[in-house]
Amino acid sequence: MDVLILPRVQLYRRAAELFAEAANRAVRARGRFTVALSGGKTPVPLYRLLAEEFADAIPWDRTEVFFGDERCVPPSHPDSNFGMVYESLLRVVNVPPPNVHRMRGEIDPETAAREYALEIRQVFALEPDQVPQFDLILLGMGEDGHTASLFPGSQIAAAASGIAAAPYVPKLGAHRLTLTPPVIARARMLMLLVTGREKADALKRVLEDQYDPARCPAQLARTAEGKVVFLVDEDAAAHLSPAQPGYTT
Ligand code: 6PG
């Protein structure tokens, strides 16, 4: 696991470079790039960079775009992760429309989760008990240590099976749609983007406290199978122990 501590502008540029490297590596090896994108505010500058300066560096026509999680709202809703990713990235780059796999936040959550798991099974041509292996899963982290829509204390955050779920999140008073821990853990690469002083306490818990992903779901990254890169700005890194192995400034 690598923790890159960078000024924010450099952080997004490095994230875009790693994204492009992962995409081209996947297409060379397997003819396509499967990526699950994260929601929230943090990744927006990255999506804009990918849509503009890096647009020609990525084989968008060979890319399958999925989502790590979604709010249970229609795509036109201001809270929709799909809506945010469409406006900042998909509206601009030429991912073939059938390759954009949206979680349908506008329908019954359990139905939407079942439907999404089936869509993933079909695209990955999975056997019944197989877990999909994404080339890249992009994640953020909340101030409570959640990632995707795996929230502390949620039974889904501790789940050891399934592909997509629709947990009820008491603190939000709403359901969410999310990829499950086994899918996140199996990705060839995880990239977690964390910025802002408000994330400093959670990031220290995630990286340095005792491993307990049910209580701190972003800790899942610490035991993931593939390459794990945390890209954090100096504000978010403010409470990290100095000179830890794997930390690069
Ligand atoms: C979401 C995200 C979620 C996000 C964190 C951080 O749907 O909100 O997938 O996991 O990454 O909540 O959100 P910010 O980037 O807005 O701080």
Side-chain angles (χ1 to χ4, degrees), residues 54-70:
F54 282 74
D56 297 336
I58 292 159
W60 297 110
D61 61 329
R62 311 300 298 272
T63 297
E64 297 276 0
V65 173
F66 294 83
F67 291 79
D69 73 327
E70 184 56 279

Side-chain angles (χ1 to χ4, degrees), residues 38-43 69 71 81 140-142 146-148 176 199:
S38 76
K41 300 178 187 65
T42 303
D69 73 327
R71 290 79 180 277
N81 286 336
M141 187 200 73
H146 81 261
T147 194
R176 284 282 190 95
K199 304 284 179 77

